[in-house]
Amino acid sequence: MDAKDGSEQVPAGPPDGATAASVDDAAAARESGPDAAGTTGPGDADTRFFGQPWALAHIFGVEMWERFSFYGMQGILLIYMYFSVAEGGLGIDRTVAAGIVGAYGGTVYLSTILGAWIADRLLGSERVLFYSAIVIMCGHIALALLPNVWGLGVGLILVALGSGGLKANATSVVGTLYAPDDTRRDAGFSLFYLGINLGAFFGPLLTGLLQSTMGFHWGFGLAAVGMAIGLIQYSFGRRSLPDESRRVRNPLPADRRWVAAGIAAAGLVVIVALVLTGVIRADNLALIVIVVTVGAAIAYFAVITSSRGVSGVERSRVFGFIPLFIVNVGFWSLYQQQFTVLTIYSDERLNRNILGWEMPISWVNSINPIFIIILSGVFAAIWTKLGSRQPSTPVKFALGSIIMGIAFLLFLPFANGPANSTPLLAIVGILFVFTVAELFISPVGLSASTKLAPERFHTQMVALYFLSVALGTSIAGWLAGFYDPHDEVPYFLILGAIAIVLGIALWLAVKPVLALMKGVR
């Protein structure tokens, strides 16, 4: 995939609140390489971390431990809610519990908007990343120590808010490590994705083992410990990140900060009122998050494309992102069912017996990360080797959607069988196909969001990408309500076919989409 070429326009002037001198100083710092503090700028010929800038190692580490805690907790979250009280769970209806998981996952990505706005207008991406990691750790501590539904609610809210802030800003900080024409960008994002999946592999294994032997709260406690390790590691390396990662791109004027604080407080009051009056309930939470996310996405696209600070080329690129956004929603609607339908499937339909020992349910969530760890380096090498000859971003998205649809169709040979009859090897094969689809879309989508982003909406464009993930994740929770273990054929057939059709439609529209992307491939 090409990075932005010479057709990209340079913004007419410095961002709000910056002087021309400050922009010139920043440019000089980037060109001069490491400064007295050890920071580097995008475009430095630094290849110390597997051919990538050394600063990537620090973001790699904190993201790995955050994903360890996130996926470790999420691997046991659904069964914690629907297992009976006697089994250590909360005894929540399974359909309601799956909807809550989907809504929670959607809220994680939805809250990237808040994290991105704070980064672009108040603190800068790197600082928001650091503070968000602290909030996440507090959320896992709440899940581990607070009892019953109160612990669940407080913990999930904190983890969702913190993870949203960390996700958008970690991606944005990675983007600052590369100059616009650095062909290592996609390979760097694939390596960053490897860190995510190292954490995602070990998290469910260890929390699942503790949950099955010592109880759910021990598993949640381990997630808290993992996040604490990541936070300590990152605190030692964060000063070596580029100055660009701390820049507030579009500073909020001081006289408007109280207005923003008032709006935030009013929004919180409205949410509390809706919960207390029964408008927002556990059984409709996923649908509410879907509606809110759709509204937020439409509003975000409107704000960015109508901004006077966005050039014509930048505006066209945002329009070119819309088809990718739609296909991404479809992809994540299927992919995120690993934590809803596939968890239920693993409990009821999968044969988890290994030589007389029953594998914990959550261990199924570690299969996909194994393949990511193996294949992410392969994909990174392929994209690096192909250089400008690799498929364009829309083609990669189309292939990812089609392959994801095929993965759902692979459930059909085992549909409607006896309880716990599906061979473990079959699920391993299906999740291998999941992984191939993921590597065509997810790291490529992260990279594309930074390349298509207008200068003044850099981090918020990453948040817009995560809105598509939020919508897909919420839909995954909502769709779980239609899954019937005794009549699986319509479910897997219809969803698989929809994903394939979406991919084919994007493939047929590649030329007009690339025309809108104005030189970004």
Side-chain angles (χ1 to χ4, degrees), residues 450-490:
T450 65
K451 292 191 291 186
L452 295 171
E455 170 62 20
R456 294 193 178 187
F457 292 90
H458 189 269
T459 307
Q460 293 177 76
M461 188 71 171
V462 177
L464 186 55
Y465 165 80
F466 281 124
L467 272 182
S468 66
V469 185
L471 185 53
T473 303
S474 302
I475 292 173
W478 174 69
L479 287 173
F482 298 95
Y483 171 66
D484 181 359
H486 305 292
D487 187 18
E488 299 171 312
V489 172

Side-chain angles (χ1 to χ4, degrees), residues 121-122 251-261:
R121 305 305 302 273
L122 295 174
L252 185 69
D255 59 351
R256 292 176 56 189
R257 294 185 180 184
W258 285 109
V259 175

Side-chain angles (χ1 to χ4, degrees), residues 171-197:
T171 303
S172 182
V173 172
V174 172
T176 67
L177 304 182
Y178 302 94
D181 59 349
D182 194 333
T183 58
R184 298 178 299 167
R185 178 182 289 259
D186 275 10
F189 272 97
S190 290
L191 189 58
F192 172 67
Y193 214 62
L194 172 62
I196 291 174
N197 285 279

Side-chain angles (χ1 to χ4, degrees), residues 187 190-191 193-195 197 371-381 439:
S190 290
L191 189 58
Y193 214 62
L194 172 62
N197 285 279
F371 290 130
I372 289 289
I373 292 167
I374 295 170
L375 295 179
S376 59
V378 175
F379 271 71
L439 287 171

Side-chain angles (χ1 to χ4, degrees), residues 47-65:
T47 59
R48 289 178 293 165
F49 188 61
F50 301 101
Q52 303 295 326
W54 178 249
L56 180 62
H58 304 307
I59 317 169
F60 177 99
V62 70
E63 184 73 2
M64 180 186 71
W65 283 109

Side-chain angles (χ1 to χ4, degrees), residues 99 102-103 106-107 110 113 274 279-280 283-300 325 329 467-478:
T107 303
L110 186 60
I113 297 176
L274 291 175
V279 175
I280 298 178
D283 61 340
N284 68 357
L285 197 56
L287 188 58
I288 288 174
V289 174
I290 291 171
V291 172
V292 171
T293 306
V294 170
I298 293 172
Y300 234 131
F325 183 97
V329 170
L467 272 182
S468 66
V469 185
L471 185 53
T473 303
S474 302
I475 292 173
W478 174 69

Side-chain angles (χ1 to χ4, degrees), residues 142-186:
L143 281 166
L145 299 181
L146 298 181
N148 303 324
V149 177
W150 281 105
L152 178 71
V154 172
L156 292 186
I157 290 171
L158 290 176
V159 174
L161 291 175
S163 294
L166 189 144
K167 286 188 72 64
N169 288 288
T171 303
S172 182
V173 172
V174 172
T176 67
L177 304 182
Y178 302 94
D181 59 349
D182 194 333
T183 58
R184 298 178 299 167
R185 178 182 289 259
D186 275 10

Side-chain angles (χ1 to χ4, degrees), residues 66-289:
E66 188 273 333
R67 292 293 90 182
F68 172 93
S69 64
F70 181 89
Y71 285 110
M73 178 272 285
Q74 191 152 317
I76 61 177
L77 178 61
L78 179 59
I79 57 176
Y80 172 61
M81 284 191 283
Y82 79 70
F83 270 27
S84 68
V85 175
E87 296 172 300
L90 298 178
I92 298 173
D93 177 78
R94 192 173 64 189
T95 298
V96 173
I100 293 173
V101 171
Y104 154 73
T107 303
V108 168
Y109 296 101
L110 186 60
S111 63
T112 58
I113 297 176
L114 178 61
W117 185 88
I118 294 173
D120 278 352
R121 305 305 302 273
L122 295 174
L123 298 177
S125 291
E126 191 281 326
R127 294 182 186 90
V128 175
L129 189 161
F130 179 67
Y131 299 142
S132 295
I134 296 173
V135 174
I136 293 168
M137 184 178 67
C138 292
H140 288 300
I141 291 173
L143 281 166
L145 299 181
L146 298 181
N148 303 324
V149 177
W150 281 105
L152 178 71
V154 172
L156 292 186
I157 290 171
L158 290 176
V159 174
L161 291 175
S163 294
L166 189 144
K167 286 188 72 64
N169 288 288
T171 303
S172 182
V173 172
V174 172
T176 67
L177 304 182
Y178 302 94
D181 59 349
D182 194 333
T183 58
R184 298 178 299 167
R185 178 182 289 259
D186 275 10
F189 272 97
S190 290
L191 189 58
F192 172 67
Y193 214 62
L194 172 62
I196 291 174
N197 285 279
L198 280 171
F201 168 68
F202 286 108
L205 283 181
L206 297 181
T207 58
L209 185 61
L210 278 181
Q211 173 268 315
S212 62
T213 57
M214 302 181 70
F216 284 101
H217 291 284
W218 285 92
F220 294 138
L222 181 62
V225 171
M227 191 65 249
I229 294 173
L231 186 59
I232 293 170
Q233 174 265 322
Y234 180 71
S235 66
F236 285 107
R238 56 190 294 242
R239 292 185 179 276
S240 67
L241 295 171
D243 293 333
E244 178 71 8
S245 68
R246 301 178 186 88
R247 180 163 71 89
V248 181
R249 297 176 181 274
N250 187 18
L252 185 69
D255 59 351
R256 292 176 56 189
R257 294 185 180 184
W258 285 109
V259 175
I263 292 173
L268 183 60
V269 169
V270 169
I271 292 173
V272 171
L274 291 175
V275 171
L276 293 177
T277 57
V279 175
I280 298 178
R281 306 182 307 275
D283 61 340
N284 68 357
L285 197 56
L287 188 58
I288 288 174
V289 174

